[in-house]
Amino acid sequence: MDNVYGLILKRIGLGILTLFAISIIFFMGVEALPGDLAEEILGQNALPETVAAFRKELKLDLPPHERYIAWLGDLMKGDMGKSLANGRPVADLVGWRFANTLFLAISAAVIAVPIAILLGIIAALYRNSLFDRIISMATLSTISFPEFFVAYILIALLSVQLIIFPSISNINAQMSFWEKIYAIVLPCLTLTLVVVAHMMRQTRAAIINILASPFIEMARLKGIQRTRVIVMHAFPNALSPVINVIALNLAYLVVGVVIVEVVFVYPGLGQLMVDSVSKRDIPVVQACGLIFASVYIGLNLTADVLSIISNPRLRNPR
Amino acid sequence: MSKLKELEQLLTNGKISRRDFIARVSALGLMAAVSPALLSTPAKAATPKKGGRFRMGLAGGSTTDSLDPGTLPDMVPQMANRQLRNSLVETNYKSEPIPELAESWDSSPDATKWTFKLRKGVEFHNGKTLDAEDVVWSINHHRGKDSKSAAKGIVDPIKDIKADGKDTVVFELTGGNADFPFIMSEYHLSMIPAGTKGADLEKGIGTGPYMLVSHEPGVRVFTKRNPNYWKEGRAHFDEIETIAISDVNARTNALKTGQIDAMNRCERKTFHLLKKMSELKTIVGNGTKHYTVPMITTIKPYDSNDARLALKYAVDREQIVKTVLRGLGTVGNDHPIGRNQRYYAADLPQRKYDPDKAKFYLKKAGLEGHVFNLHAADAAFGGAVDAAVIYKENAAKAGVNINVVKEPDDGYWSNVWMKKEWCMCFWSGRVTEDWMFATAYAADAGWNDTFWKHERFNKLLVEARAELDDAKRRELYFECQKIVSDEGATVVPMFAYDLTATGKNVMFENVAADWEMDGMRAPERWWFA
């Protein structure tokens, strides 16, 4: 197991370096956009003197590298700074939205991952049957439609026509856990439909790949049932690619759902980041960017570690 | 039946009286078709019911919003501000100034010195009594050389502001302004307790009908009725939830499924369907919102009035109103004054699409074959790019070559507007003629987006501003509108209606059209049936 710990340490070190690089890229990216916060907030109402006063107060008139170093210094002390637009601490703005984003992502994952794996195994079991084709076609169709389209269809059916679920998921702190769950049924379903296909196809392909190996033939020759061969012999050996694709999809559920947030009016991190970029609110953009990047790095690391643990050959290299 | 619908709309919006309505409907022989609810409104109005949580799903919220009266960039913070705070003056549904925190006002004969008497005994949410010092502080919040307020341009003509005792405030202006009380109704100029600044502004302390419970920028503003509210017959709801919903489909679905009680900025394409739904009410606001196409006169060839006239004659306004606005608007006459405004020049001939005249003026300007770049993005207004393309096609028939340059939405106001020679633009309009002209047409205005300098116009504008005689003023403003229309540098192809929809149980009468949502005052004026 030593090499696993070594890997984790090495990857965390590299991860921190990556985050540092990402913060520079984000900063330069927002700087490169035309206009700054003062102009964007005042919009059509901007006058040259009010823009200048705005810049002076928020220190936007300092050169970019000085502002970046000041921000980095504060971050090292654990202070994410304040939103330039409304003076609220970034930690307050980001905190509950990130919790909301995780809540939606986890809820969707809890539904999507087991369904995808189960469907994948069944599809591999009945490969090339009518059932296999129907599942593949259905899941590939839902992934091929744009998310907002799937969302609107679900709203039209389940919210406007049948009046079962709410069409907007504007959850707030006063709601109980079950009220929140009820409110997010439709976005959850949308995301499930969007991510299932990828994981399901990967599971199916990985198992089918393993099914060609000699040890599976051996198991068959011993007379073991097909279901048992697939679940007990093939699937554990197909875990590594499946884990990787699940990690990618989980990362997507956290960082890539801004359109679903907009359609369902869900107060997640994506909308905060989009608004902050369009208003050039750099401290908030940085915080969102670092969180998203950390999620990606963290999930990739977890996937790699789990892949190693699930594979005896990688676990004990010669 | 459409005539009936139109009359009903006029009645609901308070454009005609009940008596007029009945007379006109009877003339059509349609009395039996009129909904009884419509005619009983005034009787019910006497006793609006108290209670309930009023939920508004509004476009125009962002996670960067703040409650600082110096910013208030869009509808959600503006609506929150109007729930929390009052101004000195309110405008009613006829766009007349009525007393709010000021009980009365008076001016010197030349309209340069204005004295406002404050209402006594009005308390802020924190218990402090409003006095003249608070008013001075609130106005000075936008003034001065360090001001970063979006309203700085509005308060610039105030030379000095002084408290005279506890209940009187005296304004001295740089020039006479007969419309000054209207300026004091502007939403940025709402009253905050003296000394409030920075993060304290986010607490939303004011004298308004509702008190702030929570504000999550870009998500939701939640307020509760101010038990101590000083205005009588207002603030009927117990609680107000202002929810930011930027997607128009999400707003519409939420309204249809009863998750919200009212929405703004309905989709024009489907508005006729909303009107048919029996569980909803729709409101058409014919206000001052207009879309413009300003040309920068310091850049050739827009310095030539012949070139400008060629472009003004080269657009088919009727077609743009019909397609881009889906008929939910009216054609503009190349000046920014709306049909319902006091001094609207109704006798000024409407400029029409005239390819021959466009050709003539193009030739006169010596610009045959010139390519006019028209910069457009939907950030200017929804449908701006479509409007630009129609403009191009109309103009092509007159031999005027327009090249539509698609600009990014992002940063439109800082990089395109007032920078590129000819672009699409949006104005929400102003309640008074002077205010609109002084904001975007006067030579020294910060937002004079055409950099147009017309000596006679600027002289007339100052003259009209201080003129207290109504008939004379009307003449002066007629000429102002004529000059802007014939010699100005802005094409004003259309005025757009504000489209609002509510649930059936939301009650209102005489909806104001100066701003969206009953002049931003739906929370304090409306009630549940």
Side-chain angles (χ1 to χ4, degrees):
Chain A
M1 289 299 276
D2 279 355
N3 64 326
V4 175
Y5 296 127
L7 176 107
I8 292 176
L9 280 179
K10 206 170 100 193
R11 290 288 292 275
I12 288 176
L14 281 174
I16 290 172
L17 267 183
T18 313
L19 288 180
F20 178 67
I22 283 171
S23 76
I24 294 182
I25 294 171
F26 265 104
F27 190 85
M28 293 197 315
V30 176
E31 281 294 312
L33 289 170
D36 65 5
L37 180 104
E39 286 175 339
E40 294 303 325
I41 291 279
L42 293 170
Q44 205 183 1
N45 289 335
L47 290 174
E49 62 267 31
T50 47
V51 168
F54 223 120
R55 282 186 186 144
K56 204 171 151 209
E57 188 181 306
L58 296 173
K59 302 199 170 72
L60 290 173
D61 49 350
L62 295 178
H65 63 273
E66 280 183 34
R67 276 182 285 134
Y68 178 76
I69 290 169
W71 171 81
L72 195 65
D74 285 346
L75 187 73
M76 292 297 157
K77 285 180 239 148
D79 176 8
M80 292 211 276
K82 282 183 178 163
S83 156
L84 297 177
N86 51 26
R88 295 182 176 225
V90 173
D92 288 4
L93 282 173
V94 167
W96 80 285
R97 281 193 173 81
F98 184 49
N100 288 345
T101 292
L102 283 184
F103 179 60
L104 181 60
I106 291 170
S107 311
V110 164
I111 302 173
V113 173
I115 290 182
I117 290 176
L118 199 69
L119 287 178
I121 292 175
I122 299 174
L125 194 59
Y126 302 105
R127 174 155 52 128
N128 298 332
S129 68
L130 184 64
F131 176 77
D132 178 25
R133 297 223 170 96
I134 290 175
I135 295 188
S136 287
M137 257 164 55
T139 50
L140 287 175
S141 314
T142 58
I143 203 180
S144 309
F145 287 124
E147 291 158 353
F148 66 86
F149 181 76
V150 176
Y152 286 148
I153 294 288
L154 288 177
I155 291 175
L157 286 178
L158 298 176
S159 180
V160 177
Q161 289 296 321
L162 296 174
I163 321 182
I164 307 176
F165 298 115
S167 69
I168 55 173
S169 317
N170 55 334
I171 61 169
N172 59 55
Q174 283 91 44
M175 289 165 106
S176 74
F177 177 76
W178 293 111
E179 281 174 339
K180 283 185 190 170
I181 291 280
Y182 176 64
I184 64 161
V185 169
L186 289 186
C188 213
L189 213 53
T190 309
L191 291 175
T192 304
L193 288 174
V194 171
V195 297
V196 157
H198 195 190
M199 291 187 284
M200 177 282 222
R201 297 284 296 176
Q202 182 69 52
T203 311
R204 179 181 176 276
I207 292 177
I208 288 173
N209 200 21
I210 298 286
L211 286 180
S213 325
F215 74 91
I216 296 292
E217 205 169 338
M218 178 69 198
R220 287 242 180 90
L221 289 174
K222 280 199 295 185
I224 305 177
Q225 271 184 354
R226 233 162 51 134
T227 320
R228 194 175 154 83
V229 169
I230 285 187
V231 176
M232 305 297 288
H233 294 248
F235 182 62
N237 287 290
L239 265 180
S240 181
V242 172
I243 288 172
N244 272 303
V245 81
I246 289 177
L248 272 184
N249 276 293
L250 290 183
Y252 166 80
L253 286 177
V254 175
V255 311
V257 298
V258 65
I259 290 170
V260 173
E261 284 178 15
V262 170
V263 170
F264 289 104
V265 200
Y266 188 78
L269 209 50
Q271 187 63 52
L272 178 69
M273 179 146 174
V274 170
D275 279 358
S276 304
V277 170
S278 71
K279 293 285 185 340
R280 320 280 189 260
D281 197 342
I282 291 184
V284 184
V285 177
Q286 290 278 31
C288 297
L290 289 184
I291 287 175
F292 286 157
S294 313
V295 166
Y296 250 101
I297 293 171
L299 282 171
N300 270 319
L301 176 61
T302 318
D304 285 352
V305 171
L306 287 178
S307 294
I308 292 174
I309 293 172
S310 72
N311 188 332
R313 272 170 301 180
L314 291 174
R315 205 160 52 208
N316 307 303
R318 260 176 289 180
Chain B
M1 285 303 271
S2 70
K3 186 72 191 163
L4 175 63
K5 275 257 178 279
E6 196 179 300
L7 286 171
E8 281 182 356
Q9 197 66 57
L10 287 171
L11 176 71
T12 346
N13 291 358
K15 299 289 181 239
I16 56 172
S17 71
R18 254 179 94 224
R19 188 184 294 269
D20 274 351
F21 174 76
I22 295 172
R24 284 159 82 171
V25 174
S26 307
L28 292 170
L30 288 171
M31 205 55 208
V34 175
S35 148
L38 207 58
L39 292 176
S40 59
T41 315
K44 270 190 194 163
T47 50
K49 231 175 67 185
K50 294 251 168 209
R53 179 189 287 192
F54 184 53
R55 299 156 304 168
M56 296 178 286
L58 302 180
S62 162
T63 56
T64 49
D65 287 343
S66 99
L67 295 178
D68 181 343
T71 57
L72 306 179
D74 210 336
M75 202 54 195
V76 171
Q78 286 165 9
M79 286 295 286
N81 177 65
R82 270 284 179 252
Q83 291 166 43
L84 302 169
R85 304 178 179 126
N86 299 118
S87 290
L88 289 184
V89 179
E90 178 177 343
T91 46
N92 65 8
Y93 70 96
K94 293 182 195 152
S95 292
E96 296 160 343
I98 58 172
E100 194 168 24
L101 286 175
E103 216 166 40
S104 64
W105 50 82
D106 202 5
S107 79
S108 61
D110 62 351
T112 56
K113 191 170 164 191
W114 284 83
T115 310
F116 285 77
K117 285 253 179 262
L118 301 185
R119 200 174 289 277
K120 290 187 186 73
V122 174
E123 282 181 9
F124 285 102
H125 300 157
N126 59 4
K128 183 188 180 302
T129 306
L130 173 96
D131 64 32
E133 288 306 321
D134 300 313
V135 177
V136 173
W137 174 271
S138 303
I139 301 298
N140 282 342
H141 181 60
H142 309 278
R143 295 175 70 220
K145 77 176 189 339
D146 288 334
S147 157
K148 58 190 187 79
S149 165
K152 182 160 193 290
I154 299 167
V155 294
D156 260 352
I158 300 176
K159 194 162 71 186
D160 193 23
I161 166 171
K162 273 197 305 273
D164 179 8
K166 270 186 112 48
D167 305 315
T168 310
V169 183
V170 183
F171 292 84
E172 268 193 63
L173 311 183
T174 47
N177 187 349
D179 288 337
F180 189 67
F182 283 102
I183 305 275
M184 282 299 120
S185 75
E186 214 270 347
Y187 60 88
H188 288 101
L189 309 184
S190 42
M191 297 302 134
I192 51 178
T196 323
K197 57 183 173 185
D200 282 343
L201 292 168
E202 302 301 320
K203 292 181 192 155
I205 302 287
T207 56
Y210 292 89
M211 297 167 29
L212 188 66
V213 178
S214 69
H215 171 218
E216 195 53 57
V219 179
R220 184 174 100 119
V221 188
F222 187 54
T223 59
K224 276 202 157 105
R225 180 170 40 215
N226 174 5
N228 201 11
Y229 193 44
W230 54 273
K231 248 189 234 184
E232 274 176 39
R234 292 285 184 93
H236 307 295
F237 302 112
D238 288 338
E239 298 165 327
I240 309 282
E241 205 175 345
T242 312
I243 308 165
I245 307 182
S246 51
D247 181 33
V248 66
N249 295 308
R251 280 202 302 284
T252 315
N253 283 326
L255 183 67
K256 281 200 286 196
T257 56
Q259 284 181 283
I260 55 172
D261 302 303
M263 68 177 277
N264 67 343
R265 301 186 198 165
C266 302
E267 174 69 79
R268 290 194 198 101
K269 289 176 193 134
T270 54
F271 193 68
H272 63 287
L273 298 173
L274 280 187
K275 276 209 271 197
K276 280 186 202 149
M277 296 188 65
S278 59
E279 68 270 30
L280 300 183
K281 289 183 187 176
T282 52
I283 304 168
V284 175
N286 183 4
T288 51
K289 180 186 283 180
H290 56 285
Y291 300 150
T292 67
V293 203
M295 313 169 216
I296 295 185
T297 52
T298 50
I299 300 176
K300 272 190 188 309
Y302 302 99
D303 54 341
S304 142
N305 195 42
D306 292 324
R308 303 199 295 250
L309 278 172
L311 293 173
K312 284 176 180 174
Y313 279 112
V315 59
D316 187 346
R317 294 148 209 263
E318 301 281 349
Q319 190 192 356
I320 290 190
V321 168
K322 214 158 96 189
T323 50
V324 175
L325 297 183
R326 307 264 162 174
L328 296 164
T330 54
V331 293
N333 203 9
D334 295 334
H335 64 70
I337 306 305
R339 275 155 209 265
N340 290 331
Q341 289 189 257
R342 272 185 306 173
Y343 302 118
Y344 171 72
D347 308 336
L348 196 64
Q350 171 62 45
R351 179 157 292 126
K352 293 212 166 68
Y353 178 45
D354 193 334
D356 292 336
K357 275 194 183 148
K359 230 175 251 169
F360 168 78
Y361 283 111
L362 189 73
K363 197 170 167 196
K364 200 170 159 205
L367 288 169
E368 286 155 308
H370 181 83
V371 178
F372 297 89
N373 281 329
L374 175 53
H375 300 263
D378 278 352
F381 57 88
V385 176
D386 295 345
V389 172
I390 295 174
Y391 204 143
K392 171 196 158 97
E393 294 302 323
N394 292 160
K397 285 184 203 145
V400 178
N401 294 320
I402 292 178
N403 173 37
V404 177
V405 185
K406 177 91 171 65
E407 297 283 352
D409 281 347
D410 189 83
Y412 187 81
W413 298 111
S414 39
N415 306 314
V416 178
W417 182 64
M418 293 187 77
K419 300 250 163 54
K420 297 288 164 68
E421 67 274 28
W422 193 31
C423 72
M424 291 305 214
C425 173
F426 151 91
W427 283 97
S428 52
R430 299 292 184 269
V431 280
T432 66
E433 290 72 12
D434 174 64
W435 194 351
M436 188 63 233
F437 283 137
T439 306
Y441 294 82
D444 52 354
W447 299 304
N448 177 4
D449 55 10
T450 58
F451 302 92
W452 180 65
K453 291 184 171 63
H454 192 286
E455 209 177 314
R456 167 109 185 123
F457 171 81
N458 286 301
K459 195 173 142 278
L460 286 174
L461 188 60
V462 176
E463 209 176 303
R465 187 177 299 152
E467 180 59 64
L468 294 169
D469 182 278
D470 202 55
K472 271 199 198 135
R473 254 189 130 190
R474 184 170 296 279
E475 263 171 48
L476 293 170
Y477 281 127
F478 180 88
E479 196 180 340
C480 283
Q481 289 171 61
K482 187 167 158 45
I483 292 175
V484 170
S485 180
D486 293 342
E487 296 169 57
T490 301
V491 187
V492 185
M494 57 186 146
F495 279 70
Y497 295 157
D498 281 324
L499 305 178
T500 308
T502 72
K504 197 93 218 169
N505 62 337
V506 178
M507 306 301 287
F508 41 78
E509 53 172 348
N510 300 335
V511 174
D514 51 349
W515 302 98
E516 289 177 69
M517 301 300 292
D518 202 353
M520 296 185 195
R521 288 176 190 270
E524 71 164 293
R525 287 178 182 167
W526 296 2
W527 68 95
F528 282 131

Coordinates of all heavy atoms in Angstrom, one line a residue, chain B residues 327-369:
Chain B
G327 N -46.2 43.4 -32.4 CA -47.3 44.3 -32.3 C -47.5 44.9 -30.9 O -48.4 45.7 -30.7
L328 N -46.6 44.5 -29.9 CA -46.8 45.0 -28.6 C -45.9 46.2 -28.4 O -45.0 46.2 -27.5 CB -46.5 43.9 -27.6 CG -47.4 42.7 -27.7 CD1 -46.8 41.4 -27.0 CD2 -48.7 43.0 -27.1
G329 N -46.3 47.3 -29.1 CA -45.5 48.5 -29.0 C -46.1 49.5 -30.0 O -47.0 49.1 -30.7
T330 N -45.5 50.6 -30.1 CA -45.9 51.6 -31.1 C -44.7 52.2 -31.8 O -43.6 52.1 -31.3 CB -46.6 52.8 -30.4 OG1 -45.8 53.3 -29.4 CG2 -47.9 52.4 -29.8
V331 N -45.0 52.7 -33.0 CA -43.8 53.3 -33.8 C -43.3 54.6 -33.1 O -44.1 55.3 -32.5 CB -44.2 53.6 -35.2 CG1 -44.5 52.3 -36.0 CG2 -45.4 54.5 -35.3
G332 N -42.0 54.8 -33.2 CA -41.4 56.0 -32.7 C -41.3 57.0 -33.8 O -41.3 56.7 -35.0
N333 N -41.1 58.3 -33.4 CA -41.0 59.4 -34.4 C -39.7 60.1 -34.2 O -39.6 61.3 -34.3 CB -42.2 60.3 -34.1 CG -42.5 61.1 -35.4 OD1 -41.9 60.9 -36.5 ND2 -43.3 62.2 -35.3
D334 N -38.6 59.3 -33.9 CA -37.3 59.8 -33.8 C -37.1 60.9 -32.7 O -36.2 61.7 -32.8 CB -36.8 60.4 -35.2 CG -36.7 59.3 -36.2 OD1 -36.5 58.1 -35.8 OD2 -36.8 59.5 -37.4
H335 N -38.0 60.8 -31.7 CA -37.7 61.6 -30.5 C -38.1 60.7 -29.3 O -38.9 59.8 -29.5 CB -38.4 63.0 -30.5 CG -39.9 62.8 -30.5 ND1 -40.6 62.4 -29.5 CD2 -40.8 63.1 -31.5 CE1 -41.9 62.4 -29.7 NE2 -42.0 62.8 -31.0
P336 N -37.6 61.0 -28.1 CA -37.8 60.0 -27.1 C -39.1 60.2 -26.2 O -39.2 59.7 -25.1 CB -36.6 60.3 -26.2 CG -36.3 61.7 -26.4 CD -36.7 62.1 -27.8
I337 N -40.1 61.0 -26.7 CA -41.2 61.3 -25.8 C -42.4 60.4 -26.2 O -42.8 60.3 -27.3 CB -41.6 62.8 -26.0 CG1 -40.4 63.7 -25.7 CG2 -42.8 63.1 -25.0 CD1 -39.7 63.5 -24.4
G338 N -42.9 59.7 -25.2 CA -44.0 58.7 -25.4 C -45.3 59.4 -25.6 O -45.6 60.5 -25.1
R339 N -46.3 58.6 -26.2 CA -47.6 59.1 -26.5 C -48.4 59.5 -25.3 O -49.3 60.3 -25.4 CB -48.4 58.0 -27.2 CG -48.1 57.9 -28.6 CD -48.4 56.5 -29.2 NE -47.5 56.4 -30.4 CZ -47.9 56.6 -31.6 NH1 -49.1 56.9 -31.9 NH2 -47.0 56.5 -32.6
N340 N -48.1 58.9 -24.1 CA -48.9 59.3 -23.0 C -48.3 60.4 -22.1 O -48.8 60.7 -21.0 CB -49.1 58.0 -22.1 CG -50.0 57.1 -22.8 OD1 -50.9 57.5 -23.6 ND2 -49.9 55.8 -22.5
Q341 N -47.2 61.0 -22.6 CA -46.6 62.0 -21.8 C -47.3 63.3 -22.0 O -48.0 63.6 -23.0 CB -45.1 62.0 -22.1 CG -44.4 60.8 -21.6 CD -42.9 60.9 -21.7 OE1 -42.3 60.3 -22.6 NE2 -42.3 61.6 -20.8
R342 N -47.1 64.2 -21.0 CA -47.8 65.5 -20.9 C -47.7 66.3 -22.2 O -48.7 66.8 -22.7 CB -47.3 66.3 -19.8 CG -48.0 66.0 -18.5 CD -47.5 67.0 -17.4 NE -46.0 67.0 -17.3 CZ -45.3 67.8 -16.6 NH1 -45.8 68.7 -15.9 NH2 -44.0 67.7 -16.5
Y343 N -46.5 66.5 -22.7 CA -46.2 67.4 -23.8 C -45.9 66.6 -25.1 O -45.2 67.2 -25.9 CB -45.2 68.4 -23.4 CG -45.5 69.2 -22.2 CD1 -44.7 69.1 -21.0 CD2 -46.6 70.0 -22.1 CE1 -45.0 69.8 -19.9 CE2 -46.9 70.7 -21.0 CZ -46.1 70.6 -19.9 OH -46.4 71.3 -18.7
Y344 N -46.4 65.4 -25.2 CA -46.2 64.7 -26.5 C -46.7 65.5 -27.7 O -47.8 66.0 -27.7 CB -46.9 63.3 -26.4 CG -46.8 62.5 -27.7 CD1 -45.6 62.0 -28.1 CD2 -48.0 62.4 -28.4 CE1 -45.6 61.3 -29.3 CE2 -47.9 61.7 -29.6 CZ -46.8 61.1 -30.1 OH -46.7 60.4 -31.2
A345 N -45.8 65.6 -28.7 CA -46.2 66.4 -29.9 C -47.0 65.5 -30.8 O -46.5 64.9 -31.8 CB -44.9 66.9 -30.6
A346 N -48.3 65.5 -30.6 CA -49.2 64.6 -31.3 C -49.3 65.1 -32.8 O -49.6 64.4 -33.7 CB -50.5 64.5 -30.7
D347 N -49.1 66.5 -33.0 CA -49.3 67.0 -34.3 C -48.1 66.9 -35.2 O -48.2 67.2 -36.4 CB -49.6 68.6 -34.2 CG -50.7 68.8 -33.2 OD1 -51.6 67.9 -33.0 OD2 -50.8 69.9 -32.6
L348 N -47.0 66.5 -34.6 CA -45.8 66.3 -35.4 C -46.1 65.1 -36.4 O -46.4 64.0 -36.0 CB -44.7 66.0 -34.5 CG -43.2 66.1 -35.1 CD1 -43.0 67.6 -35.4 CD2 -42.2 65.7 -34.0
P349 N -45.9 65.4 -37.7 CA -46.2 64.3 -38.7 C -45.3 63.0 -38.4 O -44.1 63.2 -38.1 CB -45.8 64.9 -40.0 CG -45.7 66.3 -39.8 CD -45.4 66.6 -38.4
Q350 N -45.9 61.9 -38.5 CA -45.1 60.6 -38.2 C -44.2 60.3 -39.4 O -44.6 60.4 -40.5 CB -46.1 59.5 -38.0 CG -45.5 58.1 -38.0 CD -44.6 57.9 -36.8 OE1 -44.9 58.3 -35.7 NE2 -43.4 57.4 -37.0
R351 N -42.9 60.1 -39.1 CA -42.0 59.8 -40.1 C -42.2 58.3 -40.6 O -42.4 57.4 -39.8 CB -40.5 59.9 -39.6 CG -39.5 59.5 -40.7 CD -38.2 60.1 -40.5 NE -38.2 61.6 -40.7 CZ -37.7 62.4 -39.7 NH1 -37.3 62.0 -38.6 NH2 -37.8 63.7 -39.9
K352 N -42.3 58.2 -41.9 CA -42.7 56.9 -42.5 C -41.5 56.3 -43.3 O -40.6 57.1 -43.7 CB -43.9 57.0 -43.4 CG -45.2 57.4 -42.6 CD -46.4 56.7 -43.3 CE -47.6 56.7 -42.4 NZ -48.1 58.1 -42.1
Y353 N -41.6 55.1 -43.6 CA -40.6 54.4 -44.5 C -40.7 55.0 -45.9 O -41.8 54.9 -46.4 CB -40.9 52.9 -44.4 CG -40.0 52.1 -45.3 CD1 -38.6 52.3 -45.3 CD2 -40.5 51.0 -46.1 CE1 -37.8 51.5 -46.1 CE2 -39.7 50.2 -46.9 CZ -38.3 50.5 -46.9 OH -37.5 49.7 -47.7
D354 N -39.7 55.6 -46.4 CA -39.8 56.3 -47.7 C -38.5 56.1 -48.4 O -37.6 56.9 -48.3 CB -40.1 57.8 -47.4 CG -40.5 58.4 -48.7 OD1 -40.1 57.9 -49.8 OD2 -41.2 59.5 -48.7
P355 N -38.3 55.0 -49.2 CA -37.1 54.7 -49.9 C -36.6 55.8 -50.8 O -35.4 56.1 -50.9 CB -37.4 53.4 -50.7 CG -38.5 52.8 -50.0 CD -39.3 53.9 -49.4
D356 N -37.6 56.5 -51.4 CA -37.2 57.6 -52.3 C -36.6 58.8 -51.6 O -35.5 59.3 -52.0 CB -38.5 58.1 -53.1 CG -39.0 57.1 -54.0 OD1 -38.2 56.2 -54.4 OD2 -40.2 57.1 -54.3
K357 N -37.2 59.1 -50.5 CA -36.6 60.2 -49.7 C -35.2 59.8 -49.2 O -34.3 60.6 -49.1 CB -37.5 60.6 -48.5 CG -38.5 61.6 -48.9 CD -39.2 62.2 -47.7 CE -40.3 63.2 -48.2 NZ -41.4 63.3 -47.2
A358 N -35.1 58.5 -48.7 CA -33.8 58.0 -48.2 C -32.8 58.2 -49.3 O -31.6 58.6 -49.1 CB -34.0 56.6 -47.8
K359 N -33.1 57.8 -50.5 CA -32.2 57.8 -51.7 C -31.8 59.3 -51.9 O -30.6 59.6 -52.1 CB -33.0 57.3 -52.9 CG -32.2 56.2 -53.7 CD -33.0 55.6 -54.8 CE -33.4 54.2 -54.5 NZ -34.4 53.7 -55.4
F360 N -32.8 60.2 -51.9 CA -32.6 61.6 -52.1 C -31.5 62.1 -51.1 O -30.6 62.8 -51.5 CB -33.9 62.4 -52.0 CG -33.8 63.8 -52.0 CD1 -33.5 64.6 -53.1 CD2 -33.8 64.5 -50.8 CE1 -33.4 65.9 -53.1 CE2 -33.7 65.9 -50.7 CZ -33.5 66.6 -51.9
Y361 N -31.8 61.9 -49.8 CA -30.9 62.4 -48.8 C -29.5 61.8 -48.9 O -28.5 62.4 -48.6 CB -31.5 62.3 -47.4 CG -32.5 63.3 -47.2 CD1 -33.9 63.0 -47.1 CD2 -32.2 64.7 -47.0 CE1 -34.8 63.9 -46.8 CE2 -33.2 65.6 -46.8 CZ -34.5 65.2 -46.7 OH -35.4 66.2 -46.5
L362 N -29.5 60.5 -49.3 CA -28.2 59.8 -49.4 C -27.3 60.5 -50.5 O -26.2 60.7 -50.4 CB -28.4 58.3 -49.7 CG -27.2 57.4 -49.7 CD1 -26.8 57.2 -48.2 CD2 -27.4 56.1 -50.3
K363 N -28.0 60.8 -51.6 CA -27.4 61.4 -52.8 C -26.9 62.8 -52.4 O -25.8 63.2 -52.6 CB -28.3 61.5 -53.9 CG -27.6 61.8 -55.3 CD -28.6 61.6 -56.4 CE -27.9 62.2 -57.7 NZ -28.9 62.4 -58.7
K364 N -27.8 63.5 -51.6 CA -27.5 64.9 -51.2 C -26.2 64.9 -50.3 O -25.4 65.8 -50.4 CB -28.7 65.5 -50.4 CG -28.7 67.0 -50.4 CD -30.0 67.5 -49.8 CE -29.8 68.9 -49.3 NZ -30.8 69.2 -48.2
A365 N -26.1 63.8 -49.5 CA -24.9 63.8 -48.6 C -23.7 63.2 -49.4 O -22.6 63.2 -48.8 CB -25.3 62.8 -47.4
G366 N -23.9 62.8 -50.6 CA -22.8 62.3 -51.4 C -22.3 61.0 -50.9 O -21.1 60.7 -50.9
L367 N -23.2 60.2 -50.4 CA -22.7 58.9 -49.7 C -23.2 57.7 -50.5 O -23.2 56.6 -49.9 CB -23.2 58.9 -48.3 CG -22.6 59.8 -47.3 CD1 -23.3 59.9 -46.0 CD2 -21.1 59.4 -47.1
E368 N -23.5 57.8 -51.7 CA -24.0 56.6 -52.5 C -22.9 55.6 -52.5 O -21.7 55.9 -52.7 CB -24.4 57.0 -53.9 CG -25.7 57.7 -54.0 CD -25.8 58.6 -55.2 OE1 -24.8 59.4 -55.4 OE2 -26.8 58.5 -55.9
G369 N -23.2 54.4 -52.1 CA -22.2 53.3 -52.1 C -21.5 53.2 -50.7 O -20.8 52.2 -50.5

